[in-house]
Amino acid sequence: MSRNFELLRQAGWGEEYLEGIPTPVPSRRSPVPIAKHADPVHPSDRISALVQKLFSGNGDSQMRCVVFLGWAESGSGTSVCGRAARRLAEQVPDRVCVVDTKFERPSVHEFFGKDNLAGLRDAVEHSRGGDKFAKQVADTNLWVLPAGAPDKGRRGDISQSGLAACLQQLRTEYEYLLIDAPPLSSNSELSALARASDGAVLVVGASGVTADAALRGRARLRKANLRLLGMVLN
């Protein structure tokens, strides 16, 4: 047990812990359908295990839209979100989309080698479908919706209701959404993410987190009514 997770537990976090992203145990839930071209999931593949844990349900228990939150401005959330999206796209025949909601510090486009000239910001501000700005990753079933070029002159102008509506529309366009969100330690609004998603995964880095910070983070999630699905030690 790492010091990070021990502090989180001391702070009263009672949600499922995904430290090390262990291989999931068999359950009654149907596994994610594996495409014929996909490689077998190796027990030591942590990202595969994370994808299995998050998306292996069916019916009302099926996760379709998951938020990935880093703890601080380290890019750890983007890395886990991007890798999980790639693995999920390899394992399902459905369309998967990674959405960058970090308007001030976008990074998903860099992770996938795409431009950030237009994206989610433009879709929200001009009431246009976010799918119109999404970019396909090669000839795969994986798509990337960048945040859009930062506009420092309009900081904080993104409408939360507009953002929630855009994300909910994207849920009708793609079978799976993985949202790369601003770090939990920031002051970014979480209400739109809570309204549009099935829950969130908190990515904790190796730099450490204080018990006080853990308490504040838990309070923020509860206030926004954003369900914490689990935590990952990156």
Side-chain angles (χ1 to χ4, degrees):
M1 177 60 61
S2 73
R3 181 173 179 273
N4 286 344
F5 281 80
E6 183 60 32
L7 285 171
L8 290 169
R9 285 182 170 175
Q10 290 175 7
W13 292 68
E15 293 77 5
E16 180 180 7
Y17 294 89
L18 304 177
E19 182 178 11
I21 321 177
T23 302
V25 296
S27 69
R28 295 180 181 178
R29 298 186 298 175
S30 300
V32 170
I34 305 298
K36 291 182 179 180
H37 64 277
D39 295 329
V41 176
H42 193 279
S44 65
D45 189 332
R46 295 179 175 182
I47 291 297
S48 291
L50 174 62
V51 168
Q52 193 78 2
K53 275 179 172 288
L54 293 174
F55 301 105
S56 63
N58 53 44
D60 293 337
S61 65
Q62 177 112 41
M63 295 292 170
R64 292 290 186 179
C65 180
V66 175
V67 175
F68 287 78
L69 293 151
W71 187 268
E73 294 284 3
S74 63
S76 58
T78 299
S79 174
V80 173
C81 179
R83 289 156 60 203
R86 279 177 170 162
R87 185 50 52 90
L88 177 61
E90 291 172 355
Q91 296 182 6
V92 299
D94 308 301
R95 297 212 306 170
V96 178
C97 185
V98 184
V99 183
D100 194 342
T101 63
K102 303 190 309 302
F103 297 108
E104 301 305 323
R105 295 189 178 183
S107 59
V108 166
H109 65 286
E110 295 178 346
F111 185 89
F112 288 96
K114 301 294 182 180
D115 66 67
N116 191 40
L117 300 178
L120 182 60
R121 174 188 291 274
D122 304 271
V124 174
E125 292 184 344
H126 301 292
S127 300
R128 298 180 61 189
D131 61 302
K132 294 180 175 60
F133 299 94
K135 308 171 190 298
Q136 189 174 11
V137 178
D139 295 324
T140 69
N141 56 331
L142 178 59
W143 298 74
V144 176
L145 178 56
D151 188 347
K152 297 181 180 180
R154 302 182 62 183
R155 184 182 181 91
D157 281 354
I158 295 295
S159 163
Q160 288 299 299
S161 60
L163 175 58
C166 187
L167 293 174
Q168 288 165 349
Q169 176 63 30
L170 284 168
R171 290 191 63 149
T172 69
E173 301 288 343
Y174 299 91
E175 283 72 22
Y176 296 96
L177 288 184
L178 288 79
I179 300 176
D180 186 27
L184 189 57
S185 60
S186 71
N187 294 320
S188 299
E189 181 64 58
L190 299 175
S191 59
L193 302 180
R195 288 157 60 185
S197 70
D198 299 313
V201 170
L202 178 62
V203 182
V204 181
S207 58
V209 55
T210 66
D212 286 344
L215 284 170
R216 292 194 300 271
R218 186 185 65 173
R220 289 200 65 215
L221 290 173
R222 289 182 173 177
K223 182 178 180 179
N225 199 29
L226 181 55
R227 175 189 176 194
L228 181 63
L229 303 173
M231 289 178 284
V232 173
L233 178 63
N234 187 41

